[in-house]
């Protein structure tokens, strides 16, 4: 990870730079690199630099392979510097393998010349079960293994790991900042040379991660009895109570159908994973969860999940807002994510408020249903699906759908579950939001997952769309500060 010291804060602008993607883009789709591309070049260790290099042989790489490696490296670094200097980025997550200490030192010095600090993250594992499960569920999903059978891909990747083990140099450089994760978070080792606030937050975040699979569901609260209002904490209307029953029954039925489908495909006849429910303390969200609570599901109220405060513009029409606050409207249209109206919160403010929820979401091992206002769902969906921050205010969650986030290695999926039998008047998006329409940014996110769950998301990666129209896909979370994180992986 690399970062500049100025402007470090939560909500910082972040992007992932995966060197494997640059390699594949350079050699072309379906094309292989030369056999010696991943060989260690013993004569000039600086050639390794921040290269995604393997040590599958002790032979030196050929001159042509070294030149190809340098070309790919140069393009990746140019993009990182452009991100920092031209796009005002603050954190660059550099996803590559640097197995040798000399190469890591070269990398840190190279970025220091550009006033960029580095934080290395090494993931080490000596648990054979974790390694094999990770390879089978994660690595064979890599674009490198498109068209391979699962067994062949697993065998090939395990061979790559085995080849690296004798030559990998674990991080012990006293002059570098680094974090070592052992056995997927079982232990963390930290070398703190010049940690700032953001580096400490990264350590805290990593402490909350786990590798267990969990489905997350998003649902709107039922409509209240006295009209939608931020200030008025009203109970559910009759329609809202009916919605709560139908939403609960739909979710229960869907989870059981998914379990049965897994069994039919040859999966184990295991019981359903426990479901935990989070709501805000507001009456309508709490009452929306009552039906499921009576069926024995555990419900927790989370104060941080209260909706975005619309400030003085609550209940105002768009025309009135434009007349009374023309300067604010202009600012809002320019930056709907960071702008706040008088005495209101911005979506960035809400995201900062939700940070403890995001950390606990990562720590949660049960399946999770979140019942909240649409503004809260937008931020949490944006995090899980790696949406561009400028598009978060435009995400739409109609009341007749439950959104299911299905975790995956290279792409999360967002599936829409239809709730039948609801009247049309309670389905539209929340009317209490400030009614200033903001067009989507039109900027392609560097990760998959840009888009509303309403429309489905098109992947910016080669323009691919999920085969199921009900799915949106996301890659690693990546919209958001000025820092370079360098990742080194080893399985031992």
């Amino acid at each position: 990870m690399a970062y500049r010291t100025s402007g470090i804060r939560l909500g910082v602008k972040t992007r992932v730079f995966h060197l494997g993607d640059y390699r594949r883009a350079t050699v072309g789709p379906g094309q292989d690199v030369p056999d010696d591309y991943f060989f260690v070049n013993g004569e000039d260790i600086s050639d390794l630099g921040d290269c995604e290099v393997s040590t599958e042989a002790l032979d030196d790489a050929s001159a042509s392979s070294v030149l190809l490696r340098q070309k790919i490296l140069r393009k990746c670094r140019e993009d990182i510097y452009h991100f920092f200097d031209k796009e005002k980025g603050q954190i660059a997550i550099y996803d590559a393998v640097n197995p040798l200490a000399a190469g890591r030192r070269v990398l840190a010095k190279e970025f220091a010349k550009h006033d960029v600090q580095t934080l290395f993250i090494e993931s080490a594992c000596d648990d054979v079960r974790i390694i094999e499960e990770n390879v089978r569920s994660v690595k064979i999903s890599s674009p490198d293994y498109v068209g391979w059978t699962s067994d062949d891909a697993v065998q090939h990747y395990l061979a790559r790991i085995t080849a690296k083990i004798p030559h990998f140099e674990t991080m012990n450089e006293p002059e570098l900042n680094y974090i070592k994760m052992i056995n997927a978070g079982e232990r963390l080792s930290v070398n703190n040379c010049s940690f700032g606030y953001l580096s400490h937050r990264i350590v805290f975040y990593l402490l909350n991660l786990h590798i267990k699979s969990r489905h997350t569901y998003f649902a709107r609260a039922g409509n209240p009895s006295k009209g939608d209002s931020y200030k008025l904490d009203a109970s559910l209307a009759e329609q809202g109570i009916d919605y709560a029953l139908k939403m609960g029954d739909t979710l229960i039925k869907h989870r059981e159908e998914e379990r049965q489908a897994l069994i039919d495909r040859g999966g184990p006849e295991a019981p359903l994973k426990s479901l935990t429910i989070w709501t805000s303390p507001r009456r309508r969200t709490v009452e929306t969860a009552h039906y499921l609570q009576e069926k024995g599901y555990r419900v927790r109220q989370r104060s941080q999940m209260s909706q975005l405060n619309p400030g003085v513009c609550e209940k105002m029409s768009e025309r009135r807002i434009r007349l009374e606050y023309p300067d604010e409207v202009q600012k809002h249209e320019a930056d709907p994510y960071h702008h706040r109206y008088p005495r209101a919160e911005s979506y960035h403010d809400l995201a900062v408020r939700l940070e403890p929820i995001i950390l606990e979401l990562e720590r949660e091992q049960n399946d999770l249903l979140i019942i909240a206002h649409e503004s809260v769902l937008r931020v949490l969906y944006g995090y899980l699906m790696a949406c561009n921050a400028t598009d978060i205010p435009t995400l739409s969650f109609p009341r007749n759908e439950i959104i299911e986030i299905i975790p995956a290695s290279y792409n999360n999926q967002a599936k829409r579950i239809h709730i039948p039998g609801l009247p049309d008047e309670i389905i539209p998006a929340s009317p209490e939001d400030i009614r200033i329409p903001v067009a989507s940014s039109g900027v392609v996110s560097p990760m998959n997952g840009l888009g509303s769950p309403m429309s489905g998301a098109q992947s910016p990666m080669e323009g691919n769309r999920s085969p199921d129209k009900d799915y949106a896909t996301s890659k690693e979370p990546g919209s958001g500060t000025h820092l370079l994180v360098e990742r080194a992986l080893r399985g031992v």
Side-chain angles (χ1 to χ4, degrees):
M1 179 178 288
Y3 60 96
R4 289 181 176 160
T5 54
S6 60
I8 299 300
R9 56 185 174 79
L10 289 174
V12 289
K13 188 173 183 179
T14 305
R15 186 169 297 169
V16 177
F17 298 84
H18 188 347
L19 198 61
D21 289 340
Y22 283 85
R23 167 171 53 81
R24 285 182 284 270
T26 300
V27 301
Q31 302 298 313
D32 293 329
V33 294
D35 290 339
D36 61 351
Y37 176 84
F38 293 109
F39 288 2
V40 171
N41 190 328
E43 296 179 358
D44 184 5
I45 202 69
S46 66
D47 283 341
L48 300 181
D50 54 355
C51 186
E52 187 192 56
V53 71
S54 169
T55 52
E56 295 174 344
L58 293 176
D59 301 325
D60 287 351
S62 65
S64 60
S65 290
V66 171
L67 288 174
L68 175 61
R69 209 156 60 194
Q70 290 175 339
K71 176 183 178 181
I72 294 169
L73 273 173
R74 186 162 52 249
K75 173 58 178 171
C76 184
R77 286 183 177 175
E78 287 173 355
D79 285 355
I80 291 174
Y81 296 143
H82 184 275
F83 172 67
F84 281 150
D85 297 332
K86 304 300 182 181
E87 301 182 42
K88 299 182 179 179
Q90 293 171 283
I91 297 182
I93 299 177
Y94 178 72
D95 190 355
V97 178
N98 276 298
L100 305 180
R104 295 190 289 263
R105 289 188 173 99
V106 169
L107 174 65
K109 290 179 181 178
E110 168 68 22
F111 280 106
K113 295 176 184 177
H114 295 263
D115 193 28
V116 175
Q117 299 183 27
T118 54
L119 169 62
F120 292 85
I121 299 177
E122 175 185 316
S123 180
C125 186
D126 57 12
D127 186 318
V128 176
R129 178 187 58 84
I130 293 177
I131 293 173
E132 290 183 354
E133 287 182 358
N134 180 65
V135 171
R136 189 166 293 278
S137 64
V138 178
K139 296 305 180 185
I140 64 174
S141 301
S142 163
D144 286 339
Y145 294 109
V146 173
W148 290 54
T149 66
S150 295
D151 290 340
D152 288 345
V154 168
Q155 185 177 12
H156 183 268
Y157 197 87
L158 289 175
R160 288 175 61 178
I161 293 176
T162 302
K164 293 177 186 180
I165 290 172
H167 314 292
F168 188 94
E169 297 175 0
T170 188
M171 292 211 65
N172 285 308
E173 299 90 318
E175 74 276 17
L176 299 181
N177 292 315
Y178 63 80
I179 303 168
K180 286 202 286 189
M181 295 180 63
I182 295 93
N183 289 337
E186 181 182 282
R187 287 178 290 137
L188 254 70
S189 175
V190 177
N191 191 59
N192 179 355
C193 294
S194 57
F195 272 22
Y197 171 75
L198 188 59
S199 298
H200 285 97
R201 301 306 297 168
I202 292 170
V203 173
F204 185 52
Y205 176 79
L206 293 176
L207 284 169
N208 286 278
L209 296 182
H210 63 82
I211 58 173
K212 296 183 182 295
S213 178
R214 179 206 68 236
H215 288 208
T216 303
Y217 305 92
F218 291 155
R220 293 267 303 281
N223 53 312
S225 57
K226 297 181 180 179
D228 289 321
S229 172
Y230 174 80
K231 298 176 182 177
L232 183 62
D233 190 12
S235 296
L236 288 180
E238 287 298 322
Q239 284 183 329
I241 296 172
D242 179 64
Y243 161 79
L245 299 179
K246 291 176 178 176
M247 184 273 292
D249 286 338
T250 299
L251 181 60
I252 292 171
K253 179 183 177 182
H254 171 77
R255 297 181 76 233
E256 185 55 47
E257 287 176 347
E258 284 199 330
R259 173 182 175 273
Q260 188 58 49
L262 179 62
I263 295 173
D264 293 343
R265 293 194 299 268
E269 294 195 32
L272 279 171
K273 186 185 285 284
S274 297
L275 177 69
T276 299
I277 302 169
W278 291 355
T279 76
S280 78
R282 294 178 69 85
R283 288 180 184 174
R284 58 176 174 171
T285 58
V286 173
E287 292 176 4
T288 303
H290 275 175
Y291 176 65
L292 289 170
Q293 188 173 27
E294 290 173 353
K295 287 184 169 292
Y297 294 96
R298 181 169 176 251
V299 178
R300 295 183 60 190
Q301 297 179 26
R302 312 306 305 270
S303 60
Q304 300 95 333
M305 283 172 43
S306 294
Q307 68 196 68
L308 181 145
N309 182 349
V312 299
C313 293
E314 184 187 14
K315 296 292 186 179
M316 285 188 181
S317 67
E318 178 184 344
R319 180 176 179 275
R320 183 179 170 191
I321 295 173
R322 290 187 180 278
L323 286 173
E324 296 189 18
Y325 301 100
D327 293 340
E328 296 296 336
V329 169
Q330 187 175 7
K331 294 175 183 177
H332 180 77
E333 291 176 335
D335 188 358
Y337 181 78
H338 291 95
H339 172 260
R340 65 176 70 89
Y341 282 92
R343 299 207 297 272
E345 284 183 301
S346 67
Y347 274 92
H348 172 68
D349 296 332
L350 178 58
V352 171
R353 167 153 61 85
L354 288 171
E355 186 203 9
I357 298 297
I358 290 172
L359 290 173
E360 191 155 352
L361 187 153
E362 292 290 356
R363 188 166 59 243
E364 181 64 54
Q365 298 187 22
N366 291 335
D367 284 352
L368 182 63
L369 168 62
I370 296 177
I371 302 173
H373 182 264
E374 193 171 27
S375 58
V376 173
L377 300 184
R378 285 170 180 153
V379 172
L380 296 179
Y381 178 91
Y383 167 75
L384 290 174
M385 296 299 291
C387 293
N388 191 312
T390 57
D391 290 282
I392 286 176
T394 68
L395 298 178
S396 181
F397 294 83
R399 199 173 266 118
N400 67 340
E401 291 180 348
I402 301 168
I403 306 300
E404 179 182 17
I405 307 294
I406 304 169
S409 52
Y410 284 86
N411 56 320
N412 287 344
Q413 294 179 329
K415 182 177 183 180
R416 299 177 291 183
I417 306 166
H418 179 69
I419 305 173
L422 296 178
D424 292 341
E425 61 266 23
I426 76 166
I427 292 174
S430 302
E432 67 266 39
D433 284 349
I434 298 168
R435 301 178 187 178
I436 296 291
V438 180
S440 179
S441 70
V443 177
V444 174
S445 168
M447 270 64 62
N448 297 340
L450 183 60
S452 163
M454 275 287 289
S455 60
Q458 181 170 344
S459 163
M461 304 294 290
E462 291 90 40
N464 292 330
R465 184 181 285 274
S466 170
D468 189 328
K469 64 181 177 136
D470 286 341
Y471 282 85
T473 57
S474 163
K475 204 174 180 182
E476 303 163 53
S479 283
T481 304
H482 235 150
L483 169 71
L484 177 70
V485 180
E486 160 59 25
R487 189 173 66 102
L489 302 178
R490 67 184 177 104
V492 298

